[in-house]
Amino acid sequence: MIHQLRVYEIFERNKAAFHARFRDHAMRIMRKYGFEFVAMWESKTDRRTEFIYLLVWPDVATKEGAWREFRADEEWKDVKRVTAAEHGDLVGEIEDRVLNPTSYSPRTVAAGAR
């Protein structure tokens, strides 16, 4: 099992539109392709506002396939086009990280002890 950490730069001027699009559209469409959400956060630094979420996957191949399918989804393409036309760019920089557990990670140790 792996985790995927996604960090999106979002903009104060259209932050509500971003959250509405993610909550009402992206999550629903992503779930069709096997995305499993663990948690979501918003963080603000002196430099930018970020939306951060954590996904769990059985393996990298499954993650990559699901992302390909999601990005190719016609409904998602339409949602992005419509919201961008109405609100402008909703996302700036994106960071994407695969988190592999160490052998001494508490969850890894607990899972092995079962």
Side-chain angles (χ1 to χ4, degrees), residues 1-8 18-19 21-41 51-58 63 66-67 70 76 107:
M1 176 188 310
I2 61 167
H3 287 84
Q4 181 182 18
L5 183 70
R6 301 276 296 182
V7 180
Y8 294 2
F18 167 83
H19 284 296
R21 181 174 81 178
F22 197 89
R23 179 189 64 238
D24 300 339
H25 301 288
M27 286 181 69
R28 174 180 48 78
I29 297 167
M30 290 166 132
R31 283 187 175 118
K32 287 193 320 189
Y33 300 109
F35 285 67
E36 187 178 335
F37 295 89
V38 175
M40 291 160 222
W41 304 269
F51 173 70
I52 303 154
Y53 63 104
L54 186 65
L55 300 164
V56 64
W57 299 100
K63 172 189 80 71
W67 275 103
F70 170 67
W76 175 239
R107 285 186 167 241

Side-chain angles (χ1 to χ4, degrees), residues 29-95:
I29 297 167
M30 290 166 132
R31 283 187 175 118
K32 287 193 320 189
Y33 300 109
F35 285 67
E36 187 178 335
F37 295 89
V38 175
M40 291 160 222
W41 304 269
E42 188 176 298
S43 177
K44 189 169 183 165
T45 68
D46 58 349
R47 203 171 57 92
R48 67 187 199 173
T49 302
E50 298 172 332
F51 173 70
I52 303 154
Y53 63 104
L54 186 65
L55 300 164
V56 64
W57 299 100
D59 52 56
V60 172
T62 302
K63 172 189 80 71
E64 290 173 355
W67 275 103
R68 268 192 308 278
E69 291 179 11
F70 170 67
R71 288 184 178 116
D73 186 277
E74 291 303 320
E75 181 185 4
W76 175 239
K77 289 178 185 179
D78 288 343
V79 166
K80 278 184 70 174
R81 183 181 43 75
V82 168
T83 55
E86 186 175 345
H87 303 285
D89 289 336
L90 298 183
V91 176
E93 218 177 284
I94 298 174
E95 296 176 33

Side-chain angles (χ1 to χ4, degrees), residues 1-3 57-58 98-109 111:
M1 176 188 310
I2 61 167
H3 287 84
W57 299 100
V98 172
L99 308 174
N100 295 296
T102 63
S103 61
Y104 54 88
S105 172
R107 285 186 167 241
T108 303
V109 173

